Amino acid sequence: MNKVELLAPAGNLERLKWAIDYGADAVYIGGYKYSLRANAINFSIDEIKKGLEYAHKFNKKVYVTVNILFHNEELDGILDYLKELAEIGVDAIISSDVFILDLIKENNLNLEFHLSTQNSTLNSMTARFFKNEGVKRVVLARECSKEDIKSIIDEGIDTEVFIHGAMCMGYSGRCTLSNYITNRDSNRGGCAQVCRWVFDLYDKNKKLNKDDYFAIAPKDLCYLDNIKELIDMGVKSFKIEGRMKSIYYISTLLNVYRKVIDEYNKDENYVISKEDKIILDRCANRESSNQYFNGKPDEKDQYYMAREEQTNQDFLGVVLDYDKKEKEIVLEQRNYFKVGDTINVFGPNNKNIFIKVKYIKNEDGEYVNEANHPKEILRVFSEEIVDKHDLIRVDFLNKVC
Amino acid sequence: MTKIYVPLPKKKYTDFYLEQNIDGFFLGIEKFSINFNSYVKEEDLKDTIDYIKNNNKEVYISFNKLFLQKDVDKITKLLLKINELNVDGVIFCDAAIYEIVKENGLNINLIIDSYHVINNYKTFDFWLKKGVKKGILSTEITINEMIEINNKSDMKFGSYLYGYLNMITSSRSLISNYFKHKKITEYNNKLLMEVNDEKYPIVEENDETNIFSSKVLNGIKYFPELIENNIDFIILNDYLLDPIKFYNVIEAFTAIRRNYADKEFLNKLDEVVKLNTEYDTYDAFLNKKTIYKVK
């Protein structure tokens, strides 16, 4: 079976470590300069170096996005930056501005080039062009159907496919709504997500929407049900979207996809569980679909009221330690829970433990009935041993299954 | 002298536009081009091109969109056919077009359309090294950036100076999806979406949806600067505009070209264009930089 890479986003060094711990084979990160997601914390060269050291210790890879679309004013300094990235040994850069290919060749830089999804590669001839130019891997447009994906794989170029996360409404790189409507450059890290706004719709002077709005926002992407097909097709890397997303979101997704990929590698008849689907659904704040996989998305794959996002307080805390003597989980609280609730502990080792909360102790050793102070250090009784960096969530699985 | 190109209009207006002192037409072909008021059918291509060439104008065919795998064979056949016709060039933004032309050894001049993604001279130089001799500048860069690109690259450049500006292309059917959701079966495919008191044209055709600037770019006062800096061509785009009003626009730009040093004449014509067309016009990004970091 094709050994597929699971690639996770990391907005900072801490998240990079979490992603590696939760089963990512590789992470993609942005530097302070030349990276979209200008609002993510991003990495200094020193931090990239630290990230590389951490990842390489576990035989994992780090790709650095250099994915803005450059204006003349950004050209000064890019060569020095690429040299620095090459010197510290990043595993690849992800970029779509093709002059960087020239810089790499002309300066004989030891940098692997992955063509960003910002190029919107949709067909085999585009992929062939870039393969001939020395591109090692193409991050496919999210508009590719399975036929498009297959034809590009057949070109013999490595393919990276987004399997989960937010979708752009237009072709990536070809959307400048943000530029025109907010004067923020979407292709230089300033995307204001105008496609998630609401609008009124007119036919000449006649307003067509009455008591509601016109919206163009897509639902999220989820390829969970298509994972086996994608592995069999020969996709090289499965990418999770979201450099701005939380540790809980990324860890949860990695936890599910890591398990599913590993199970398929062991048994090609593996059937994805109902629980895994529920976990992914709960984790995101939008509904999802497999979008373009079987062809063009239809009216069910987008929203009509723009931000129809559901937030929840599922994430209860982070395990800091397990006190074997007292049989207590030491945790840092995130959201409210109380004595009598059942909590669900999960982690990188396929752990999925359900614990009825008998008591809660605060840092002073006092018993409290409720955990209602975010970041407070608490103790909860557990017969079962849990590990540092396991995560704790609401027991929604037993409630809905 | 800087050339002026316009999209080929509907047949009944073609002669009308030919009267003007423009240098050539951009042709859109159904299913292979976007944002044209009128598309030429494949079977009419030869006759259309012959007619334009007989009137001593240049002809460029625009493949100004991205293509799916199912399109590749059709594009290849069409490019083989175009290779036999008397066209001055093919405009492309998907590298697939370049690859097909190269692999089939076609004798076609290629013009790269930046289509939002090429905003610097080094990226144009990448394509120049591949043999692409001309490029269409992005509509999201300033006049100074355009001139800098033109001065620093040996490629020949053109710039949009009039018309609605494409803000986004989506392969989703955003208008029909909305009306299906509403269970409404009769609707137009060209509408306006409004936010913050600005109305943006939204058009669904050929399986895609495009959204445009709320105002019409009018760069007439920048035209002399582009002429002085030896920009190779400008494009006046009639998409979604009234052909008669657009005729006035062509007339004004061709007049400026003859008298580009006369500032008073320029200001007068700028006013005339505004009054005659009645469009809400603006400079777009010609004189306005976008914000990079939002922190």
Side-chain angles (χ1 to χ4, degrees):
Chain A
M1 187 164 277
N2 168 35
K3 179 88 176 79
V4 71
E5 171 188 272
L6 183 56
L7 174 59
N12 59 29
L13 190 57
E14 187 196 8
R15 289 178 201 181
L16 178 147
K17 290 177 180 173
W18 278 84
I20 299 285
D21 291 351
Y22 269 76
D25 298 306
V27 291
Y28 62 101
I29 63 174
Y32 283 153
K33 292 186 285 187
Y34 311 120
S35 172
L36 293 176
R37 310 288 174 268
N39 273 350
I41 298 165
N42 288 330
F43 288 68
S44 65
I45 285 286
D46 255 8
E47 287 165 331
I48 297 174
K49 224 189 277 181
K50 283 178 188 154
L52 280 165
E53 278 163 16
Y54 189 82
H56 288 173
K57 198 166 66 183
F58 297 98
N59 238 356
K60 312 288 184 180
K61 292 182 173 177
V62 177
Y63 309 138
V64 178
T65 58
V66 187
N67 58 349
I68 63 160
L69 292 172
F70 287 72
H71 285 229
N72 296 340
E73 65 192 6
E74 278 99 33
L75 294 174
D76 280 348
I78 177 62
L79 180 58
D80 289 340
Y81 183 61
L82 292 175
K83 281 178 180 169
E84 278 186 294
L85 294 180
E87 271 167 29
I88 62 174
V90 302
D91 295 289
I93 59 163
I94 304 172
S95 184
S96 68
D97 213 330
V98 289
F99 81 91
I100 288 176
L101 278 166
D102 278 348
L103 285 185
I104 291 172
K105 282 182 210 164
E106 287 160 8
N107 294 281
N108 205 18
L109 301 180
N110 185 21
L111 275 179
E112 188 170 301
F113 187 102
H114 295 179
L115 184 67
S116 162
T117 195
Q118 296 293 106
N119 183 69
S120 288
T121 305
L122 294 157
N123 65 70
S124 59
M125 296 307 283
T126 308
R128 189 181 298 175
F129 170 81
F130 285 108
K131 185 186 171 195
N132 293 338
E133 288 303 313
V135 171
K136 172 78 175 142
R137 179 188 289 190
V138 177
V139 188
L140 301 188
R142 276 164 275 199
E143 286 83 357
C144 282
S145 67
K146 61 182 169 186
E147 285 78 18
D148 299 325
I149 297 171
K150 185 75 178 68
S151 68
I152 294 169
I153 290 169
D154 289 346
E155 282 299 317
I157 190 164
D158 289 352
T159 52
E160 186 173 302
V161 170
F162 277 97
I163 57 165
H164 202 104
M167 294 285 288
C168 287
M169 186 272 281
Y171 287 118
S172 295
R174 315 278 174 174
C175 174
T176 54
L177 283 177
S178 188
N179 302 49
Y180 283 87
I181 298 178
T182 69
N183 198 31
R184 287 160 48 156
D185 193 336
S186 51
N187 287 322
R188 288 190 290 173
C191 176
Q193 300 202 11
V194 172
C195 65
R196 303 211 174 267
W197 294 10
V198 287
F199 305 87
D200 287 320
L201 190 65
Y202 286 84
D203 190 346
K204 296 190 177 74
N205 290 319
K206 186 184 168 196
K207 190 173 167 187
L208 301 176
N209 59 306
K210 299 283 186 288
D211 305 321
D212 57 3
Y213 296 104
F214 174 68
I216 54 178
K219 291 182 180 173
D220 279 5
L221 172 71
C222 176
Y223 275 169
L224 183 66
D225 288 330
N226 311 102
I227 288 296
K228 184 177 183 305
E229 211 172 336
L230 287 162
I231 292 174
D232 291 344
M233 280 161 67
V235 172
K236 190 79 178 173
S237 179
F238 286 163
K239 184 172 204 164
I240 293 170
E241 179 275 343
R243 273 193 284 145
M244 309 270 281
K245 295 278 170 61
S246 69
I247 283 170
Y248 175 69
Y249 175 87
I250 299 299
S251 302
T252 303
L253 260 57
L254 282 169
N255 203 241
V256 170
Y257 281 110
R258 179 76 277 156
K259 185 183 84 181
V260 169
I261 293 166
D262 291 347
E263 290 300 327
Y264 272 136
N265 282 332
K266 280 188 259 171
D267 173 13
E268 60 182 34
N269 296 315
Y270 172 72
V271 179
I272 291 163
S273 71
K274 194 172 142 193
E275 285 82 357
D276 287 336
K277 288 181 190 176
I278 293 166
I279 290 168
L280 291 187
D281 282 347
R282 289 284 296 215
C283 187
N285 55 7
R286 293 187 205 114
E287 292 171 83
S288 61
S289 77
N290 66 358
Q291 298 286 349
Y292 288 85
F293 193 74
N294 294 314
K296 202 171 162 166
D298 60 21
E299 73 276 13
K300 295 184 289 299
D301 298 305
Q302 67 175 89
Y303 288 117
Y304 300 94
M305 292 296 292
R307 289 190 175 271
E308 295 175 45
E309 294 163 355
Q310 307 290 321
T311 54
N312 65 46
Q313 281 76 46
D314 284 353
F315 180 27
L316 299 182
V318 181
V319 175
L320 301 179
D321 202 358
Y322 180 75
D323 184 337
K324 282 185 183 162
K325 194 174 153 215
E326 301 293 331
K327 293 187 179 172
E328 285 175 347
I329 298 170
V330 184
L331 64 96
E332 188 180 84
Q333 193 257 11
R334 288 291 189 279
N335 278 300
Y336 176 85
F337 65 96
K338 63 181 188 308
V339 172
D341 286 351
T342 301
I343 58 174
N344 177 197
V345 182
F346 70 101
N349 304 318
N350 278 339
K351 188 178 291 143
N352 202 20
I353 302 167
F354 295 90
I355 299 163
K356 183 142 179 139
V357 179
K358 285 186 183 165
Y359 62 79
I360 304 169
K361 271 200 290 195
N362 67 18
E363 264 186 298
D364 298 327
E366 296 164 343
Y367 289 90
V368 292
N369 286 326
E370 296 172 323
N372 52 9
H373 301 294
K375 295 266 184 179
E376 191 177 14
I377 310 298
L378 301 168
R379 284 173 172 254
V380 168
F381 179 79
S382 170
E383 283 284 1
E384 292 193 64
I385 298 170
V386 300
D387 295 318
K388 185 181 176 182
H389 287 176
D390 284 349
L391 296 174
I392 305 168
R393 66 188 165 209
V394 168
D395 171 30
F396 53 79
L397 285 172
N398 287 322
K399 282 177 190 155
V400 293
C401 289
Chain B
M1 182 59 80
T2 302
K3 292 175 178 176
I4 298 175
Y5 300 133
V6 298
L8 185 73
K10 285 179 183 155
K11 220 169 185 174
K12 62 179 175 180
Y13 299 113
T14 305
D15 287 341
F16 194 44
Y17 282 21
L18 276 168
E19 285 171 16
Q20 283 293 348
N21 195 21
I22 57 156
D23 299 279
F25 289 105
F26 283 10
L27 265 63
I29 304 178
E30 230 168 21
K31 303 277 181 194
F32 298 97
S33 321
I34 55 169
N35 307 341
F36 280 82
N37 281 339
S38 171
Y39 295 92
V40 179
K41 288 192 167 63
E42 261 189 78
E43 58 269 30
D44 298 332
L45 204 51
K46 187 179 182 316
D47 288 347
T48 308
I49 290 166
D50 287 347
Y51 186 72
I52 298 168
K53 296 304 280 190
N54 287 338
N55 281 280
N56 297 316
K57 304 289 183 195
E58 296 170 27
V59 182
Y60 296 88
I61 297 177
S62 187
F63 286 81
N64 58 342
K65 60 175 288 192
L66 302 173
F67 296 101
L68 297 168
Q69 188 59 33
K70 66 181 170 62
D71 303 315
V72 168
D73 285 347
K74 290 176 216 162
I75 301 168
T76 306
K77 278 182 198 154
L78 183 55
L79 284 169
L80 288 167
K81 192 171 165 181
I82 289 169
N83 193 45
E84 303 300 318
L85 302 174
N86 188 16
V87 300
D88 294 280
V90 159
I91 297 157
F92 76 104
C93 57
D94 190 326
I97 301 291
Y98 176 92
E99 190 63 22
I100 293 167
V101 167
K102 191 187 78 177
E103 277 189 18
N104 290 280
L106 306 183
N107 185 25
I108 292 176
N109 293 322
L110 288 173
I111 296 114
I112 183 131
D113 184 344
S114 60
Y115 192 14
H116 307 306
V117 301
I118 307 180
N119 298 310
N120 70 77
Y121 61 91
K122 280 190 184 286
T123 306
F124 280 115
D125 279 347
F126 171 90
W127 289 105
L128 181 67
K129 286 175 205 159
K130 304 267 163 296
V132 177
K133 300 278 181 0
K134 288 186 182 181
I136 298 175
L137 295 162
S138 162
T139 45
E140 290 78 42
I141 60 174
T142 64
I143 194 85
N144 291 339
E145 287 177 292
M146 288 179 183
I147 290 167
E148 187 182 359
I149 289 171
N150 192 53
N151 291 343
K152 289 189 172 168
S153 172
D154 288 332
M155 193 179 255
K156 289 182 173 175
F157 293 103
S159 164
Y160 282 94
L161 269 200
Y162 197 89
Y164 280 111
L165 300 173
N166 179 289
M167 300 197 295
I168 183 173
T169 301
S170 173
S171 56
R172 294 169 194 268
S173 301
L174 296 171
I175 292 179
S176 29
N177 282 352
Y178 173 77
F179 286 108
K180 271 184 206 159
H181 170 73
K182 290 279 182 194
K183 299 187 173 38
I184 294 170
T185 51
E186 284 189 20
Y187 51 86
N188 287 326
N189 70 330
K190 289 180 179 152
L191 300 170
L192 296 160
M193 46 187 258
E194 185 191 55
V195 70
N196 298 338
D197 297 323
E198 295 283 338
K199 287 193 174 86
Y200 300 87
I202 174 168
V203 181
E204 182 183 314
E205 60 184 8
N206 288 337
D207 263 354
E208 286 183 336
T209 308
N210 285 277
I211 305 174
F212 300 87
S213 54
S214 57
K215 296 184 179 74
V216 172
L217 166 71
N218 176 15
I220 196 163
K221 62 182 180 203
Y222 299 92
F223 190 25
E225 205 175 342
L226 292 180
I227 295 171
E228 284 159 7
N229 281 282
N230 300 314
I231 287 275
D232 193 62
F233 60 95
I234 61 158
I235 307 151
L236 309 176
N237 190 3
D238 66 345
Y239 188 55
L240 303 176
L241 302 177
D242 176 82
I244 309 296
K245 288 177 181 171
F246 188 69
Y247 183 84
N248 293 328
V249 172
I250 300 174
E251 210 169 24
F253 274 83
T254 51
I256 289 295
R257 185 167 57 174
R258 289 190 296 270
N259 297 290
Y260 66 90
D262 186 342
K263 300 289 178 225
E264 202 179 317
F265 182 58
L266 175 69
N267 290 335
K268 205 176 284 174
L269 270 187
D270 188 23
E271 283 307 308
V272 169
V273 167
K274 281 175 191 162
L275 287 172
N276 280 351
T277 59
E278 296 169 350
Y279 293 122
D280 194 3
T281 59
Y282 76 146
D283 296 351
F285 294 102
L286 289 172
N287 201 19
K288 184 175 76 171
K289 280 173 124 177
T290 46
I291 299 168
Y292 172 27
K293 296 252 183 194
V294 291
K295 277 182 197 171

